[in-house]
Amino acid sequence: LDEVMHGFVEGEIDVLVCTSIIENGLDVPNANTLIVDRADRFGLSQLYQIRGRVGRSDRRAYCYLLTPENLDEDAAKRLRVLEHYTELGSGYSVALRDLELRGAGNLLGADQSGFSHQVGLDAYMRLLEKTVERLRKGEEEVEHPDPDISLPGPAYLPEGYIADASQKLHLYRRLSKVKGRSEVEEMRAEIADRFGPLPAEVDHLLDATLLRALGRQLGVDRIMVKGRGARLSFRGGVAPRLSALDKPLERRQVQTEVRRLDPLSLILHQMGTAELVETVAIALQTLLDTRAEAVPT
């Protein structure tokens, strides 16, 4: 392998056929053409790193991404990002778009592999504040991780709506900290005031943020909204008082179906014309309020 790479770097070999291993810092200044077969199977960061293996000198470089005719939507979005960001030093912009496409993940939660030795000052202060507040109140409340949220339609801040990358990153960070409906509605009004009427993607992002905040407090594992139905799957050991939902859901013409008791799983069937995402938010808030009333003082 060393002899092959030496021959390629020195120009003795014209074509190198290899795997994606070349993304790990291979520097061949005289390479000016790259062909990636089945580019739809690679991640956005992978493709960005692989593309950077050519054009590393004064030679004009070309990168050809070969894909099948029928691309899925996610792969098409990744490739469009690469087509748009071609200038030198666009790694930050690509990383931000990757964040929008895949989501921020769960850096400090139970789903994260490994350990975070350096979480940064902002995250450290947030964790410290939460711990001090819990100790001050004498609470032993379980800290649930964020639930998985699945809503119809994309949920992000479009580049055509907010062009400044730093502004978008700042808003994403603020959205990750919200704790309830009032904060979400304040951000909804602020964003509309600063940047204009909200496009559908931003509405979906704010809706997902609200459901995530309420579901985290309640111990929901997954919320999936599709068509005129929504499924709420709770974590093991979480048993909210479902009778509290009878009146608010009846007013919104919703039928409730219990699919599983342990762990609890509910199906909400929206029979009327009310907005289903709002119905789910009302249901979660009602269960939270009922739980708070049941706590002895």
Side-chain angles (χ1 to χ4, degrees):
L1 179 60
D2 290 340
E3 293 180 0
V4 172
M5 290 305 303
H6 177 76
F8 185 59
V9 172
E10 296 298 325
E12 300 172 2
I13 298 176
D14 294 329
V15 178
L16 174 66
V17 180
C18 62
T19 66
S20 61
I21 189 65
I22 63 168
E23 70 176 286
N24 295 313
L26 182 64
D27 186 14
V28 184
N30 61 343
N32 70 334
T33 302
L34 177 69
I35 301 174
V36 182
D37 187 31
R38 290 307 303 267
D40 56 305
R41 294 182 175 179
F42 292 86
L44 181 54
S45 61
Q46 266 190 310
L47 289 173
Y48 180 73
Q49 291 292 334
I50 291 173
R51 186 181 66 179
R53 298 310 99 199
V54 294
R56 305 181 67 82
S57 67
D58 56 351
R59 298 187 179 186
R60 185 178 180 84
Y62 302 87
C63 178
Y64 298 95
L65 305 179
L66 306 184
T67 63
E69 292 185 1
N70 298 320
L71 278 178
D72 63 67
E73 185 178 353
D74 290 338
K77 288 180 179 178
R78 294 196 297 269
L79 296 176
R80 282 197 293 268
V81 172
L82 284 179
E83 289 176 351
H84 181 74
Y85 295 106
T86 58
E87 66 276 6
L88 185 64
S90 56
Y92 177 79
S93 299
V94 172
L96 190 61
R97 292 292 288 119
D98 195 27
L99 172 69
E100 295 172 354
L101 293 176
R102 296 194 300 156
N106 190 6
L107 177 62
L108 302 176
D111 297 336
Q112 174 67 24
S113 300
F115 299 91
S116 288
H117 296 292
Q118 296 179 341
V119 299
L121 179 61
D122 182 66
Y124 172 77
M125 294 304 296
R126 286 165 53 195
L127 292 172
L128 182 61
E129 181 182 355
K130 289 170 60 178
T131 303
V132 170
E133 185 68 13
R134 188 167 64 249
L135 292 174
R136 186 179 66 82
K137 293 182 178 180
E139 298 177 353
E140 295 296 334
E141 185 177 351
V142 177
E143 287 284 343
H144 297 292
D146 287 345
D148 292 329
I149 307 295
S150 178
L151 300 180
Y156 64 98
L157 300 173
E159 186 173 343
Y161 183 63
I162 303 177
D164 187 87
S166 61
Q167 288 284 352
K168 291 170 67 175
L169 186 59
H170 177 65
L171 289 173
Y172 280 127
R173 291 180 61 190
R174 289 179 57 192
L175 286 170
S176 70
K177 300 177 184 180
V178 300
K179 299 179 180 179
R181 178 184 291 274
S182 61
E183 296 180 42
V184 172
E185 295 309 317
E186 287 175 5
M187 288 206 63
R188 191 187 300 271
E190 177 188 337
I191 294 173
D193 181 60
R194 292 174 59 187
F195 303 103
L198 304 182
E201 297 89 345
V202 181
D203 263 328
H204 294 158
L205 177 63
L206 292 166
D207 290 341
T209 300
L210 174 60
L211 297 185
R212 185 174 292 109
L214 297 176
R216 178 176 60 247
Q217 298 176 61
L218 195 57
V220 178
D221 180 54
R222 180 175 175 80
I223 300 174
M224 182 171 64
V225 178
K226 186 176 182 180
R228 302 301 292 169
R231 181 162 189 155
L232 281 66
S233 301
F234 291 77
R235 300 186 183 278
V238 177
R241 187 158 63 88
L242 298 183
S243 59
L245 296 177
D246 292 344
K247 289 185 178 180
L249 294 188
E250 182 181 354
R251 288 194 293 267
R252 296 184 68 83
Q253 297 179 290
V254 175
Q255 293 181 352
T256 306
E257 175 187 354
V258 178
R259 282 291 181 90
R260 188 177 60 236
L261 288 175
D262 189 22
L264 179 63
S265 180
L266 301 177
I267 302 291
L268 303 182
H269 299 283
Q270 182 74 67
M271 310 304 294
T273 59
E275 180 65 34
L276 184 55
V277 173
E278 177 63 16
T279 298
V280 175
I282 290 175
L284 294 174
Q285 188 65 61
T286 301
L287 293 176
L288 274 174
D289 295 341
T290 304
R291 188 184 68 173
E293 294 172 359
V295 174
T297 57

